Amino acid sequence: DVQLVESGGGSSQSGGSLRLSCEASGYTYDSYCMAWFRQAPGKEREGVASVDFDGSPYYADSVKGRFTISKDKAKHTLYLQMNNLQPEDTAMYYCARCRSNLIWSLAERDYNYWGQGTQVTVS
């Protein structure tokens, strides 16, 4: 079974940094794109950053220049380094694996496996 387990959330002051991790198992890791999404209270889930099977990153405009997505193939782990955090970054963050035959995407409909989420709070 495909499993995605996030960790690394927590609290930060404005301008601070956090790094999220997502350990994947149950499938051929290099064959699928992955992404980080977030959902703030009362808002829809939005794509934050995606990485294709080759490791090339793609970002939403709201986080470009502040967040970095990467993956460690040997550890089957996806990361999101978040710098210069702002209160509007407060949300539950989810990692996700895309459906097959996709290069990358920030659209929720293109992902069919999700982690349980990790909370990030910025004050």
Side-chain angles (χ1 to χ4, degrees):
D1 291 351
V2 175
Q3 287 194 327
L4 302 172
V5 180
E6 300 102 331
S7 61
S11 298
S12 173
Q13 293 186 338
S14 291
S17 298
L18 287 172
R19 189 176 82 154
L20 306 182
S21 300
C22 172
E23 187 170 351
S25 61
Y27 69 98
T28 304
Y29 186 68
D30 290 345
S31 298
Y32 297 86
C33 57
M34 296 189 74
W36 288 97
F37 287 76
R38 67 186 180 187
Q39 187 168 22
K43 294 188 176 181
E44 294 186 353
R45 189 151 50 182
E46 63 168 343
V48 171
S50 176
V51 62
D52 67 22
F53 58 87
D54 208 27
S56 297
Y58 304 88
Y59 299 98
D61 288 342
S62 59
V63 304
K64 203 171 290 183
R66 300 188 299 123
F67 289 11
T68 302
I69 188 171
S70 62
K71 65 179 186 179
D72 185 322
K73 294 181 180 181
K75 295 182 179 179
H76 290 192
T77 300
L78 181 73
Y79 301 100
L80 185 68
Q81 176 67 43
M82 305 183 293
N83 297 330
N84 191 21
L85 284 162
Q86 301 300 313
E88 53 265 34
D89 295 317
T90 295
M92 185 72 79
Y93 283 72
Y94 301 88
C95 75
R97 196 206 78 176
C98 67
R99 303 178 187 276
S100 60
N101 301 319
L102 285 173
I103 297 176
W104 71 277
S105 172
L106 289 177
E108 186 178 358
R109 64 179 179 273
D110 291 329
Y111 290 80
N112 57 350
Y113 288 99
W114 297 83
Q116 80 286 355
T118 186
Q119 179 68 38
V120 171
T121 303
V122 185
S123 58

